[in-house]
Structure formats: C-alpha cells, structure tokens
Amino acid sequence: MKLLFVCLLLGSLAMTPQPPKTKVIAHRGAWKNTNVPENSIAALQHAIALKCYGSEFDVHLSADSVPFVLHDHSIQGVFIEKTSAAELSKIKLSNGEALPTLESYLLAGKNQTQTRLILEIKTSQLGKARSLALTKKCVELVTKAGVASITDYIAFDFDVCLEVKKLSPRAHVQYLNGDKTPGQLAAAGLDGFDYHFSVLQKNENWLADAHQRKLSTNAWTVNDETIMQWLMDRHVEMITTNEPEKLIQLLNK
Ligand code: MG
C-alpha cells in the first residue's frame, strides 16, 4: 500500500508540467567575452555557436534608405541617417568587418534555425515618418532574405510595433519602452513585452499577468546573476544579456 502511494506520488510529480526554461538572448550578439565588436556579424556567429535562443541587433536607416546594423545613431563621427549607403559601407568595425547592412546581417544568420534574429527597429532622430520607413524596409528585407520564420521584432516606438504587425501579421513583436501594461499590449494585438528589468521589479504582477494573457516576456539587459535568478524564479520567458555565457551556466546549475 505504502509502495503504491509512493509510486502514485512520483507519477503525479513527473506529470506536473514544469514551466519552460528561460531562454537566452545575446544582447547585440555575443561580443563581450569573445572580444568582437557588438552588433558585428562575428558577434552574431558567436551567439549562434553558443546556441543562444536569440541574438539581438539594432537597425538604423541611411540617408538613402538602406538599413544598417549598429546601436548608436553615429559611428566614428558619422551620423547614419544623414549619410549615404555608399559612404557607410566604407566604415570598418574594430575587427576589420565592414559596417553590416541589414541584408548582409540577415544573410549571415540564415541557414540555421537554432538562434532567432531579434531585430530592434531604432527610433529615428529625424521624425516618425523615417521610423515607419525603416520599419517597412526591415519587413521587406526580412522577407526577401527568407528569414521571416526565424526573425522577431522589438521597438521602443509603439507605432513602429503596430506597423510591423500591420505589414507582417504573423511576425512576433515585443514592445520595449516599459510604459504599457500587459492588458494594453494584448488589446493592441502585440505579442509581448521586452522591458528593462527594473520595470518588472516595480510592477511585480506584470510577469504573471502577461503569462495569463499568453504574452511573451523578455527582460533587458540583465548582466547580474541575482537579477537573472529573480527573473527566472518568476518564470520570465527570455532574458536579454551581455553575458550569455554566464546565463547559460546559471540555467544549467
Ligand atoms: Mg537593442
């Protein structure tokens, strides 16, 4: 009888669904511990080699409407949005790579399905029309490169998020700015949030609320083990980090 009880207990424990493991997203690729420039194709390749769930990167539009991958609005004193693609293509990163166009970056991430391409559409400093023009270009290039099935979108501009869903209804889109509740994101038809971890610490119920609404949850940019663990304890779906190696180790503890 006792044995039967133990068997039943073990059986029911085995059948209790465990929350899925938190997924690792390399912020601007895996660059910090590999000594390559952030947002370089080399950083993307390192994130793929680490088997990260995703590799994040940032995109701006050149003066003549070609999207380039980099974080800041300018590089080596050159303002991206006011410079032609021909001029930008002459710029070299510190590892000798050319400043990647979005097209070259997407093609480098193609032919693998391990690591998702997490495309951040940056907000233009020249106005909303340019942010929306960049959005359209990004969706077009993702389709053209044949990587739609492995690409997700993030943006700080709520209108940009809505525009991606309009242009590509099946695309997965997360909002970055932290000022919308899970209810507001769901009502707008977005897929989830990617919020700074401090927003989630301030609004402790947002993770549970988002899970209930079947929204995806992602926190940036978490490099500290204590905060990683705080988020994992609350079943955050993804963590975006400059330290993917550290997070992988923590997940495998
Ligand atoms: Mg970014």
Side-chain angles (χ1 to χ4, degrees), residues 120-180:
E120 179 178 345
I121 301 173
K122 298 304 276 188
T123 304
S124 170
Q125 289 189 327
L126 304 179
K128 182 76 81 179
R130 292 244 330 156
S131 292
L132 295 175
L134 170 60
T135 306
K136 190 162 181 270
K137 279 277 172 194
C138 287
V139 171
E140 278 172 9
L141 281 173
V142 164
T143 308
K144 188 179 158 204
V147 291
S149 65
I150 57 161
T151 301
D152 299 326
Y153 296 85
I154 54 175
F156 278 96
D157 185 325
F158 198 64
D159 293 330
V160 163
C161 291
L162 297 179
E163 187 71 5
V164 176
K165 288 304 279 186
K166 201 167 102 188
L167 296 168
S168 182
R170 289 171 62 192
H172 188 96
V173 183
Q174 291 179 326
Y175 179 54
L176 286 166
N177 206 38
D179 58 345
K180 304 271 186 206

Side-chain angles (χ1 to χ4, degrees), residues 5 18 100 113 124 140 153 161-162 178 206 209 211 218-219:
F5 176 75
Q18 295 297 307
T113 51
S124 170
E140 278 172 9
Y153 296 85
C161 291
L162 297 179
W206 281 11
D209 187 1
H211 294 147
N218 186 350

